[in-house]
Amino acid sequence: MSEDPNWWGRDFLRRRPDDEPWALADRVVTRGELRSRVSGLAARLAAGGIGAGSSVALRMPPGLPLLYALLAVWTRGAQVVLLDARLTAFEVDRLLRVCEPQFLLSAESPPHGTSYLVEDVPFDVERRPSGAPAADDVCLVQVSSGSTGTPKVIGRTACSLLRELEAYAALDGMPGARDRVVLLNSVIHTMGLVGGILHGLNSGAQMVFPSRMRVADIIGAAREAGACAIFGVPVHFALLARFPSGPLPALRLAVSAGELLTDKIWAQFHERYGLPISPVYGTTETGLIAADLTTGPRPPVIGRPAPGVEVDVVEGELLVRMERTPYLHTEYADRFRDGWLHTFDRCDRGGTTGCLTYRGRADSMVTVGGLNVDLTEVEQTLMSHPGVQEAVVVCGDVIEAHIGGDTTLTQAELADWCRSRLASFKLPKTFRLSTGVPRNANGKMIRDRDVLSTQKDDDAHTHH
C-alpha cells in the first residue's frame, strides 16, 4: 500500500494503452485523452497554488469535468472534499465552515434538459483565507447526510481506498478489463466513485454514461455499448422494470447499492429482464462491506462480507472492524469504539454461510403506548401493497406513513391493508400520498419527520 500522495497519477492513470476507451458518453473518451485532460488541469491548479497537502473542495455537476478535476487534484497530492452540486447555498456555506478547505472549485449546473455529461463546464477556483491544510493522510473527504440528523464528515486515506479496490477486484462476478458498465450511481458517493470510477481505472472496466438520466436513454446507452452490467440505486431498477423495452442480450449483472432494495423491485426487475438484482452493501465510513454478484439473492439478504472485511453482529447490530475512526470531527465519536464502527444497521448472520441479512435500522425501533414497534416492518408491509412503490414510516406522537405510488389509493384501502397484516398498535394513524417520497440531495429517502411534515396538507389522510 502506497502513501505516496501522487499515487493516483503515477499508477492508475498510467495503466492501459492510450487508445483504449475509458468512458463512453455522447462519444468515446480514451485513456490517452483522460490523461491529457487531467494533466492539463493539474498544471492549471499548480499555477493557482494547489499542491501537496492542500485541501480542495469540489462543487461541480456530475460529469466528466468533475472527474477530471478530482483526479487532477489528487495528482497534485492534495485532498479532495466532495460537495454535491445540488446543495443549496446555505448548505454549502455550512459545510465549508465545518471542513474549511483552502480552495473551492465550483461550477453551475447546466440548464435542465442539457446532456447529463456536459464536457466543457467553466469553473471558478476560489482561495479561501480561512481554509486549513489537509488533515494528516486523508485524501478524500465525503459528507454523509444519511437520512436524518447532522451531516457526518468522513475522511478516507489512500490505504483505505486501495483496500476497498482490492476487495472489489476479488469479488466473483465483478466487471473487469474491457467490460462495459452503465454507471447510474452518483460519482460523488462511495459506490459510484470507488466501485465504479476507481474500480474501472484499476481494472480496465469501461464506464458507460447515458446522455440523460431518463429510462429510454439508459436503455439506449446500455444497448448501444453492449454493456454487461448496470450499477444503480433501487429507484433506477424500479423505473427500468416498468419501461417497455426489448431485451438487453449482453446484460449479465445488475447491481444495486446506496439504499435498501425491496423485494418488490427485485421481483419486478427479475420478471422483466430474467436477471436478479445483486446487492452491494456498504457505508460512506467503511466503503464496501458485503456483496453477492453471483446468485443475486432476494432481499433482505445482502451477501457475504467482502474479502478482507471483518464484521461482527452484536445484539443484532452490525459492527465493522476499522483501524481508526472515519470521522474528522467529534460529533459521531461514540460510533467508533475499541476498533469497531457501529453501523446502526440491524442484521442477522448465517451460521454456516456467514451471509448477512438486513433487518433495518437500529433506530427504527420506537415505543408507542408502551409497546415496541419496528417501523421497518410497517414500511415493508406497506411496500407489499401493489399500488405502493415507496414508503417511509416515522413516529412522533403517532405513527405516520409517507407513501409514493398510485395517488388514487385511499386512506381506507391502506388502513385496511395494514389492519389485516399488523397488530393494531403498529398501524399508521396518518397516510401522506404522492407520486414519490421526498429525497435529500444524496438521493436517499428522507426520514426526518420535521422535513416530511412540510408536504402539502391536502396529501395527508388520517385514519382513526
Side-chain angles (χ1 to χ4, degrees), residues 193-447:
L193 177 58
V194 185
I197 299 301
L198 297 185
H199 172 74
L201 287 172
N202 183 41
S203 68
Q206 300 167 9
M207 299 297 105
V208 178
F209 300 105
S211 59
R212 290 180 175 85
M213 279 299 187
R214 300 182 303 197
V215 183
D217 294 298
I218 294 170
I219 293 287
R223 183 174 289 122
E224 183 177 349
C228 71
I230 296 176
F231 289 4
V233 298
V235 68
H236 293 135
F237 295 106
L239 293 171
L240 288 167
R242 298 196 296 269
F243 188 75
S245 70
L248 296 172
L251 191 67
R252 63 169 176 80
L253 181 65
V255 175
S256 179
E259 194 171 52
L260 177 64
L261 177 69
T262 66
D263 184 75
K264 174 184 283 189
I265 295 174
W266 189 99
Q268 290 172 341
F269 187 88
H270 187 271
E271 180 180 1
R272 179 72 186 78
Y273 293 97
L275 188 71
I277 302 174
S278 297
V280 165
Y281 165 74
T283 67
T284 306
E285 291 90 332
T286 62
L288 174 65
I289 296 174
D292 186 335
L293 306 186
T294 56
T295 66
R298 291 187 78 137
V301 177
I302 54 177
R304 295 179 179 83
V309 177
E310 184 181 354
V311 304
D312 197 7
V313 177
V314 179
E315 297 181 351
E317 182 190 3
L318 183 68
L319 277 57
V320 181
R321 174 74 76 180
M322 298 186 72
E323 293 180 352
R324 58 196 256 183
T325 179
Y327 302 111
L328 299 187
H329 304 286
T330 59
E331 291 89 339
Y332 294 91
D334 62 326
R335 292 173 177 249
F336 181 78
R337 300 192 294 273
D338 301 322
W340 293 93
L341 181 77
H342 291 247
T343 65
F344 285 73
D345 285 339
R346 293 186 289 119
C347 288
D348 296 335
R349 190 175 189 183
T352 56
T353 64
C355 203
L356 296 171
T357 300
Y358 184 81
R359 298 302 185 191
R361 291 285 296 166
D363 49 14
S364 70
M365 295 295 296
V366 299
T367 301
V368 179
L371 300 171
N372 290 332
V373 178
D374 184 352
L375 299 181
T376 301
E377 178 189 7
V378 183
E379 287 182 0
Q380 291 173 345
T381 299
L382 285 164
M383 283 294 299
S384 66
H385 189 289
V388 174
Q389 289 296 329
E390 300 176 324
V392 168
V393 178
V394 295
C395 185
D397 296 329
V398 297
I399 298 174
E400 304 172 7
H402 298 258
I403 294 160
D406 184 354
T407 54
T408 65
L409 285 171
T410 67
Q411 63 90 17
E413 288 178 80
L414 292 169
D416 287 344
W417 182 268
C418 292
R419 190 180 298 110
S420 66
R421 292 162 172 80
L422 295 169
S424 60
F425 66 90
K426 301 179 181 179
L427 298 179
K429 301 302 181 187
T430 299
F431 297 88
R432 290 181 178 268
L433 305 175
S434 62
T435 55
V437 301
R439 293 176 178 269
N440 62 22
N442 296 346
K444 291 186 177 181
M445 290 187 288
I446 291 173
R447 298 181 182 277

Side-chain angles (χ1 to χ4, degrees), residues 147-197:
S147 51
T148 61
T150 306
K152 301 187 290 288
V153 181
I154 295 157
R156 299 286 302 274
T157 66
C159 276
S160 72
L161 292 171
L162 280 168
R163 280 193 292 267
E164 185 178 3
L165 289 173
E166 289 176 352
Y168 272 116
L171 283 180
D172 289 341
M174 191 68 179
R178 287 178 286 282
D179 284 336
R180 293 183 171 178
V181 179
V182 176
L183 184 63
L184 306 179
N185 304 83
S186 169
V187 294
I188 73 164
H189 302 308
T190 301
M191 181 61 189
L193 177 58
V194 185
I197 299 301

Side-chain angles (χ1 to χ4, degrees), residues 18-94:
D18 276 351
D19 60 353
E20 184 172 299
W22 165 66
L24 295 86
D26 292 329
R27 64 181 185 85
V28 175
V29 181
T30 64
R31 287 272 181 154
E33 181 177 346
L34 170 65
R35 286 189 272 268
S36 175
R37 291 262 190 166
V38 171
S39 176
L41 187 50
R44 176 183 168 185
L45 298 180
I50 295 175
S54 298
S55 55
V56 184
L58 299 183
R59 182 178 181 255
M60 301 173 66
L64 298 178
L66 169 63
L67 298 176
Y68 299 147
L70 183 149
L71 294 170
V73 172
W74 271 337
T75 60
R76 291 296 305 146
Q79 177 190 86
V80 169
V81 181
L82 283 177
L83 302 178
D84 197 307
R86 295 167 295 184
L87 296 175
T88 65
F90 176 84
E91 290 171 309
V92 171
D93 184 62
R94 179 179 62 169

